[in-house]
């Protein structure tokens, strides 16, 4: 299970209030706050909008080490970001200070690896889930969950309960489907065509002939 990268993020102390927040945004800074069980009080600060955008552009989980003006650091995860409804610029960011004594709840991306046996045989891969909600200690946080589907055949599915999470607790329904391989279009005939390279021409001719007969019946009825 891959561990998250640790990213340092410089911060600047700020005063609370909407006027100060608006001034920061005009100068390309984003108001932010960090909170957590080991902090005596919330810490308010601002971060460069460009630096925050770099963090937001990465889909995997990252550990964000906040560097305060006094030189102290706080290891966090980015918990929430508010965006402008029109410009989509970040308006505010919430960070959660990690403590090994307190498990965290996070959403982790699911990464599919390998080519399933069913797809090789002509099946179609469907992925109803792209992320998984989990609960774990900070030291167990993964950057992503990689799932090998090489042995997934046609008609087979992979569910949340099938994952080996090494002590991590999944919070989504265990019966939810992560990936499934469905038969090719046309069912068994489609599968035979995919394997042999033959086209199911007889079925097309039958449908065409049926359509012509129906047109003839319509003309005679008139």
């Amino acid at each position: 299970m891959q561990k998250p990268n640790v990213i340092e993020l410089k911060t600047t102390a700020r005063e609370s209030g909407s006027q100060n927040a608006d001034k920061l945004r005009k100068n390309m800074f984003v108001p932010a706050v960090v909170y957590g069980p080991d902090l005596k009080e919330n810490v308010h600060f601002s971060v460069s909008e460009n630096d925050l955008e770099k963090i937001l552009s990465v889909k995997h989980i990252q550990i964000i080490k906040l560097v305060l003006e006094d030189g102290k650091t706080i290891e966090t995860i980015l918990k929430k970001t508010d965006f402008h409804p029109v410009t989509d610029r970040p308006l505010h960011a919430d960070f959660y200070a990690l403590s090994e004594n307190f498990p965290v709840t996070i959403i982790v991306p699911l990464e599919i690896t390998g080519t399933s046996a069913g797809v090789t045989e002509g099946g179609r891969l469907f992925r109803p889930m792209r992320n998984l909600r989990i609960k774990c200690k900070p030291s167990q946080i993964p950057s992503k969950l990689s799932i090998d589907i090489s042995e997934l055949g046609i008609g087979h599915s992979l569910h949340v309960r099938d994952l080996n999470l090494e002590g991590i607790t999944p919070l989504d329904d265990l019966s939810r489907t992560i990936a499934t391989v469905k038969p090719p279009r046309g069912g068994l005939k489609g599968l035979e065509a995919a394997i042999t390279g033959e086209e199911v021409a007889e079925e097309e001719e039958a449908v065409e002939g049926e359509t012509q007969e129906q047109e003839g019946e319509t003309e005679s009825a008139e």
Side-chain angles (χ1 to χ4, degrees):
M1 198 172 292
Q2 185 176 341
K3 294 292 185 180
N5 292 330
V6 178
I7 307 297
E8 287 194 356
L9 182 61
K10 293 183 179 180
T11 71
T12 303
R14 69 177 177 91
E15 297 180 1
S16 58
S18 58
Q19 289 185 345
N20 288 323
D22 289 341
K23 184 177 180 180
L24 287 169
R25 294 183 186 111
K26 288 180 181 178
N27 291 312
M28 300 297 290
F29 283 85
V30 181
V33 63
V34 58
Y35 49 84
D38 284 346
L39 297 182
K40 294 181 179 179
E41 59 183 6
N42 295 352
V43 180
H44 297 270
F45 57 93
S46 65
V47 296
S48 162
E49 183 174 333
N50 288 335
D51 290 343
L52 183 60
E53 288 284 8
K54 291 178 182 178
I55 293 173
L56 293 171
S57 66
V58 178
K59 295 181 180 180
H60 301 158
I61 301 297
Q62 302 174 91
I63 302 298
I64 312 300
K65 183 182 288 187
L66 300 178
V67 181
L68 307 182
E69 285 187 323
D70 60 4
K72 293 181 179 179
T73 61
I74 305 175
E75 286 200 348
T76 72
I77 55 172
L78 180 59
K79 218 28 178 167
K80 179 185 176 184
T81 308
D82 297 324
F83 296 92
H84 192 282
V86 178
T87 64
D88 205 35
R89 288 179 59 189
L91 297 176
H92 190 275
D94 287 13
F95 293 84
Y96 179 82
L98 299 173
S99 171
E100 193 60 24
N101 296 322
F102 294 88
V104 294
T105 298
I106 56 175
I107 297 176
V108 181
L110 298 173
E111 179 186 69
I112 297 297
T113 63
T115 301
S116 79
V119 170
T120 302
E121 294 171 356
R124 297 170 293 150
L125 177 65
F126 288 85
R127 294 185 57 192
M129 290 185 67
R130 301 278 175 167
N131 302 285
L132 180 68
R133 197 162 56 98
I134 64 171
K135 186 176 184 179
C136 64
K137 291 183 178 181
S139 59
Q140 295 175 306
I141 295 176
S143 67
K144 59 185 176 182
L145 293 175
S146 298
I147 305 166
D148 186 1
I149 61 168
S150 300
E151 297 183 2
L152 201 63
I154 293 177
H156 295 171
S157 299
L158 181 71
H159 303 91
V160 173
R161 62 174 173 265
D162 300 320
L163 299 178
N164 181 13
L165 297 178
E166 301 176 7
I168 295 174
T169 303
L171 299 180
D172 287 313
D173 193 325
L174 297 181
S175 63
R176 287 192 62 184
T177 301
I178 295 174
T180 185
V181 179
K182 296 185 178 181
R185 301 185 188 280
L188 292 177
K189 288 186 177 180
L191 177 57
E192 292 172 359
I195 295 175
T196 64
E198 297 175 355
E199 297 181 358
V200 190
E202 294 178 359
E203 183 177 345
E204 296 178 355
E205 291 176 359
V207 172
E208 183 178 353
E210 183 180 348
T211 303
Q212 292 176 351
E213 290 179 1
Q214 290 177 348
E215 291 177 352
E217 290 174 0
T218 304
E219 292 175 356
S220 61
E222 292 178 352

